[in-house]
Amino acid sequence: MKRKLFAVGAAVMAAASCLPAQAQDWPQRPIRIIVPFPPGQAADIITRLVAERLGPALGQQVIVDNRPGAGAALGTEIGARAAPDGYTFLAGGSAALAINPHLYPKLGYDTPRDFAPVTQLVSIAMVFVVNPSLPAQNLKDLIALAKARPKELNYGSSGSGSTSHLVTAALASRAGITLTHVPYKGAVQALTDLLAGQIALVADTPPTVLPHAQANKLRAIATSLPQRIPQMPNVATVSEQGLPGFDLSTWTSFVAPAGTPPAILDRMSVEAARIIAQPEVNKRLIEIGFIPVGSSRRDFSVFLAAEYANWQKIVQATGAKVE
């Protein structure tokens, strides 16, 4: 981890030394970062952690502007329509930028057209958890059980088309099993029924499921990233358990309105990545349950395009619809 942080830090410093004068003169007034969720949610926590360090780095106040509503579509649309002058950014996540465009026929924004990638801040694994009463100690057990009892095992999600729904549907498809989807109006309701044994399986993020797993109220059987996550090092990945190449996650990023000057995008990317690379920030993000990234603008552009295409395929394959 120390070697990785040193390498990231060196890359960030090298990039900073090459920034054009236009970016070095920016900003001249406060910067707004729109968070399309209420205070206290993951994207808000991550954004505020970075924003409080961005202000001193840029020499201007950085304001976090919470604009929740319509499953993040409201704040995301506001970000898309903002002036591309370098004074408005969006804390965009996988659902708003890569999933929802394939679910909603009348969104007020188009990700490839309306946004310029800046940096991926964090990656967030999905953890598959079951009720301890289910005779499945790991993913292989679950798959065997589902094959022996087709359509009998049900899984909850925070709603049709949600990340938890699509990740589990993708898992079932790869494993060649049939699970019954039970959509809820939120993650809390799904976990409540899982804890009560009313459903068999839920996929959710580490901050949500870790306390229940530590209390032995739920059993974590797999994680969705290619590598094991530091918060749950004893839980094998889906790839390790017979489905190689399985790599799905949720994430949070910074994007800007399309047309924002490239030099400003570069500097914002560099400064945000520099902050993510700070040891104390890395440590805090991992403690919360996230995987720090702090990618370059080029790397995030490639990643976002791949995510957009991949989630489109998953939405189409699963037949997910917004009711």
Side-chain angles (χ1 to χ4, degrees), residues 54-288:
L54 267 176
L58 295 174
Q60 288 288 342
Q61 183 181 12
V62 177
I63 301 167
V64 177
D65 183 8
N66 294 90
R67 295 295 187 97
L74 177 62
T76 305
E77 183 176 349
I78 293 172
R81 295 182 177 182
D85 55 8
Y87 291 94
T88 299
F89 293 84
L90 171 75
S94 52
L97 297 179
I99 297 177
N100 288 354
H102 310 302
L103 286 171
Y104 294 89
K106 295 183 180 180
L107 274 182
Y109 61 90
D110 177 89
T111 299
R113 180 194 67 203
D114 294 334
F115 291 108
V118 176
T119 183
Q120 180 187 357
L121 300 172
V122 300
S123 178
I124 309 168
M126 299 298 287
V127 183
F128 297 95
V129 288
V130 299
N131 187 283
S133 64
L134 193 75
Q137 298 296 319
N138 51 49
L139 181 59
K140 291 183 178 180
D141 289 347
L142 179 74
I143 292 172
L145 189 63
K147 289 182 176 179
R149 297 161 50 184
K151 298 184 180 181
E152 290 186 26
L153 298 186
N154 49 23
Y155 69 95
S157 78
S158 54
S160 182
S162 64
T163 305
S164 55
H165 168 210
L166 296 175
V167 167
T168 311
L171 174 71
S173 177
R174 280 289 311 275
I177 58 177
T178 302
L179 303 173
T180 300
H181 178 218
V182 182
Y184 291 81
K185 293 183 178 181
V188 173
Q189 294 93 326
L191 281 174
T192 298
D193 271 8
L194 180 64
L195 288 164
Q198 300 299 312
I199 54 177
L201 174 71
V202 164
D204 214 318
T205 60
T208 302
V209 304
L210 189 57
H212 300 297
Q214 291 174 332
N216 296 319
K217 293 180 179 179
L218 294 176
R219 179 185 300 126
I221 61 170
T223 56
S224 67
L225 288 172
Q227 299 84 26
R228 297 192 185 194
I229 60 174
Q231 298 86 2
M232 308 179 88
N234 296 323
V235 180
T237 67
V238 172
S239 292
E240 289 179 289
Q241 299 186 68
L243 300 177
F246 192 94
D247 180 8
L248 293 175
S249 65
T250 182
W251 41 265
T252 297
S253 71
F254 283 165
V255 295
T260 300
I264 291 176
L265 297 175
D266 284 337
R267 185 172 179 203
M268 186 64 163
S269 179
V270 165
E271 297 295 352
R274 192 203 308 272
I275 290 167
I276 294 293
Q278 293 174 2
E280 66 273 17
V281 176
N282 248 252
K283 180 181 178 182
R284 179 59 181 150
L285 289 170
I286 291 172
E287 288 174 347
I288 296 171

